[in-house]
Amino acid sequence: MTDAVKYTLKTDPQGMVGRECPNRACKAYFKIKSEDLNVEELICPICGQKKYNNKYTTLQQIDYINSIIFKKDVCSLGPDKYTKTTPVIDYVETPAKCVFTCDTCGKKFGIDEKPDYCPFCEATYEHLHAEDKCDIAGK
């Protein structure tokens, strides 16, 4: 049995990694601290959908990881061949407009719109506090 290979996702200047809601009707984009990538489940801060953390991986992150593994779009490596060379597809994590801290669990997350839930413990908006001046539109 072999150990699973883990690939490091990029972070923004605040050390956060993007997540995207897997609910097709929502697709909310938010950020979590890179050290929180090991949590088992996340809750979408907009629609409240709860899924395994890996279901929140963005398409850009998947393309980036695949380009590391398969060197896609450059050569014809199949899924049984791997490379450790520089990725072909890259992406940049930009900071969220606002960083919120949850009173209930103490975790931080970033988002560009007013959240309804904490992505870690499902606490509602009343328990979420913006760290700095936050210019986001209310719902």
Side-chain angles (χ1 to χ4, degrees):
M1 183 169 140
T2 60
D3 291 328
V5 176
K6 293 197 177 205
Y7 295 94
T8 304
L9 294 174
K10 296 188 172 216
T11 61
D12 66 15
Q14 298 167 315
M16 292 194 166
V17 174
R19 305 276 78 190
E20 184 178 67
C21 179
N23 178 351
R24 288 184 182 164
C26 179
K27 291 293 188 191
Y29 181 79
F30 60 100
K31 317 264 321 216
I32 63 173
K33 295 292 236 173
S34 62
E35 59 264 19
D36 291 327
L37 282 171
N38 62 354
V39 298
E40 189 171 317
E41 292 182 319
L42 286 174
I43 299 101
C44 175
I46 302 301
C47 74
Q49 182 163 87
K50 188 176 193 177
K51 293 275 187 186
Y52 286 112
N53 189 349
N54 65 349
K55 298 292 185 189
Y56 284 86
T57 305
T58 70
L59 183 57
Q60 293 83 8
Q61 292 165 345
I62 292 168
D63 286 345
Y64 170 74
I65 292 168
N66 282 339
S67 77
I68 292 171
I69 296 171
F70 303 118
K71 199 71 173 165
K72 81 183 212 183
D73 298 331
V74 167
C75 59
S76 58
L77 289 179
D80 60 337
K81 300 187 180 177
Y82 301 93
T83 180
K84 293 189 184 253
T85 57
T86 307
V88 176
I89 297 171
D90 207 356
Y91 75 105
V92 174
E93 288 283 2
T94 56
K97 289 181 183 175
C98 294
V99 174
F100 286 85
T101 301
C102 177
D103 287 343
T104 304
C105 68
K107 292 198 178 272
K108 296 180 183 192
F109 67 98
I111 194 163
D112 290 350
E113 56 187 301
K114 182 180 173 186
D116 290 323
Y117 307 97
C118 170
F120 302 101
C121 71
E122 295 181 272
T124 55
Y125 184 76
E126 303 81 41
H127 301 281
L128 307 175
H129 301 282
E131 289 193 342
D132 292 314
K133 185 176 181 214
C134 188
D135 293 327
I136 55 174
K139 292 181 183 177

